[in-house]
Amino acid sequence: MPDKDLLILGIDLGGTKILTSVINPGGEMFSRDHTVTPAAKGPDGVIQAIVESAERALEGASIAIDRVSAVGVGAPGLADTEAGLLFTSPNLPGWKDVPLRDIIQKKLKKKAFLINDGNAAALGEYCFGAAKGVSHFIYVTISTGIGGGIVVDGKVLNGFKGMAGEIGHMVISDEGPLCHCGNRGCWEALASGTALAKAARKLIETGADTTILSLADGKIEDVTAQTVQSAAEKGDSIANQLILKVAYYFGVGVANLINIFNPEMIVIGGGLSNMGERLFKPAHEVVKERAFNRAYGTVRFVKAALGRNSGVLGAAAFAFDEMKRAGFKLGA
Ligand SMILES: [Zn+2]
């Protein structure tokens, strides 16, 4: 059992997974509960899964909910942090204006706070990870989608109602592919793992000469970003071209962010970042070419340090900050 006084229950709700943990102000995690997000079951089913995950995380840390000061929830999609509403989430079908914060508060009988998952992850890297002490940085996660958060003057840029930082939905190409947000040519519709897999499937359907399909056992629906990566590693030129295209669009988006925010650091995480130089070397060339020289010359590119824990740690850090801001007595 943790002997620290101040504890927060952090919840990272993702489109595919939920991670819940008991965390102290130093970012120590006393338990970890991973579970699959039953997204198809809609809000009720997902909230039930969150509550059960919370119970297991508390059990894992051998503490009762009474010992926790507050609950911090990071959730995907457009969230109003002040009202505690999750307006909509491209990754969670059936969610519309769900008062997630208040529901969690009621179910767990504990003060709760809601933050967008990308902003939570940025806060996590700021408080405990790669951007510790860096006042101007942008966190970019590139995996099935592109998410992130913007830290300006040491504060996560939440915007007027908490909806800022949706970097994955900046429009890069106005006639680009349809994004699942409903718009066209968003950054994540062009430069994410999903975008890479989709582009590969499209080429396979047109009869392109590539080994990608055979690496997915001949099943086109099983072609993923990883399949394309494996093919590229084996020297498949089509796979390499597909990755170069994603790298190009990734670079364009990063150049935009540099020109707008003049960050000191760009922290990059997410599954696709494991591609390493194959993706980032060509992307850097594009950034160098397109961003203002002065701004490019001073920015550092750094790997995210917290991996899958960034969101849950950031959600907890957000709850700590909000509790302090509101003058709650912590540890009571
Ligand atoms: Zn979009």
Side-chain angles (χ1 to χ4, degrees), residues 168-169 179-183 186 188:
H169 300 281
C179 179
H180 61 177
C181 75
N183 208 343
C186 292
E188 77 169 32

